[in-house]
Amino acid sequence: MAASTVWEILQTAGIDPAPERNSSTWADFLRSQADALLAWDFFETITLSGARMYVLAVIEHASRRIRILGATAHPTASWVTQAAKNLVMDLEDTGCRARYLIRDRDGKFPALFDTVLSDTGIEVVLSGVQMPRMNSIMERWVQTCRRELLDRTLIWNQRHLLHALREFEQFYNSHRPHQGIANARPLRPLPIPVTDPEQLEPLNIRRHDRLGGLPPRSMTCTATVLLCHA
């Protein structure tokens, strides 16, 4: 049946056409709520002794700021709940007004976890089953952490893992440029560009290694270059 025939039948019956339906995609939601979005996830790593460690991290969508919430061999319900409480206190201290938190359907998250967040006005949004792209920014950070740190570092134990992750967190937030935010750093604005060639002469470039030089070249060279006037 042609569309014109359907229109004539509806008009004869006195039925108005259906209004246009405004559909919102997942990408539209991420863009419109970026300033109020957090993403949370677990990922695993293995120490030299063969112990499996679970790392918990959360990232702010708008600024790309990462927070390492902890690492443990036993992510119990009480441990995860306490991590949520610590996150809430940190968000309050830094003035971050998050409204949504994206997480997957991992069984490590107890019901009390969602309750702790909802009591502070943060709504938990679950990603689809086996749909990691719904939490793509967090998944991308996990890949970055593996590629630039964990795959190149021999982790002895939990204490060593936390130390390495804290160093990487500081590097990621304060030194590493991010294309998603115009090559700025989450905790540092872009510096004023140098347009006068004469100003390049007095610059003194220094390099400072982190973690004893173990991180990859992109970390030691990019993260630790300091520009200052001689």
Side-chain angles (χ1 to χ4, degrees):
M1 184 180 295
S4 58
T5 303
V6 174
W7 182 83
E8 291 178 359
I9 295 174
L10 293 176
Q11 188 179 39
T12 302
I15 301 175
D16 295 330
E20 294 183 0
R21 295 177 175 84
N22 296 323
S23 59
S24 178
T25 65
W26 181 251
D28 293 335
F29 168 73
L30 296 181
R31 284 192 294 267
S32 63
Q33 301 295 333
D35 291 336
L37 266 179
L38 301 174
W40 175 301
D41 201 7
F42 274 102
F43 64 97
E44 302 176 9
T45 189
I46 305 295
T47 66
L48 287 176
S49 63
R52 186 180 301 274
M53 304 298 297
Y54 298 88
V55 180
L56 185 57
V58 64
I59 192 169
E60 297 179 17
H61 269 223
S63 67
R64 297 299 198 273
R65 178 180 179 177
I66 192 71
R67 289 177 172 86
I68 305 296
L69 301 180
T72 180
H74 306 286
T76 61
S78 59
W79 187 89
V80 176
T81 301
Q82 185 60 49
K85 294 178 180 178
N86 295 341
L87 172 63
V88 169
M89 290 188 292
D90 188 31
L91 294 176
E92 292 177 351
D93 292 341
T94 57
C96 178
R97 298 183 178 180
R99 294 178 53 198
Y100 303 98
L101 183 141
I102 303 173
R103 70 168 179 85
D104 57 21
R105 301 170 186 266
D106 196 322
K108 301 183 188 68
F109 296 104
L112 186 57
F113 170 85
D114 294 350
T115 302
V116 170
L117 295 176
S118 62
D119 288 344
T120 60
I122 300 177
E123 180 181 349
V124 175
V125 180
L126 300 179
S127 61
V129 178
Q130 296 183 352
M131 297 181 66
R133 293 186 63 181
M134 292 186 68
N135 199 4
S136 58
I137 291 181
M138 186 71 236
E139 295 290 342
R140 177 62 182 270
W141 181 85
V142 172
Q143 294 178 10
T144 299
C145 183
R146 291 189 186 280
R147 183 177 63 253
E148 298 187 7
L149 178 67
L150 297 178
D151 290 347
R152 300 170 180 262
T153 308
L154 299 177
I155 300 297
W156 289 97
N157 50 34
Q158 180 183 13
R159 181 178 179 181
H160 182 210
L161 173 62
L162 286 172
H163 172 69
L165 289 171
R166 297 301 182 196
E167 286 286 334
F168 187 75
E169 176 184 3
Q170 183 181 8
F171 150 70
Y172 190 90
N173 290 332
S174 300
H175 298 282
R176 189 181 190 276
H178 303 278
Q179 293 183 352
I181 52 176
N183 288 322
R185 282 74 57 86
L187 297 182
R188 290 187 179 181
L190 285 173
I192 300 176
V194 178
T195 58
D196 186 358
E198 295 182 357
Q199 296 180 358
L200 296 176
E201 296 182 0
L203 291 180
N204 182 19
I205 300 176
R206 301 178 182 179
R207 165 177 163 166
H208 299 275
D209 290 335
R210 293 178 180 270
L211 296 174
L214 287 178
R217 182 176 302 175
S218 61
M219 180 175 178
T220 54
C221 293
T222 304
T224 58
V225 169
L226 301 178
L227 299 181
C228 58
H229 291 282

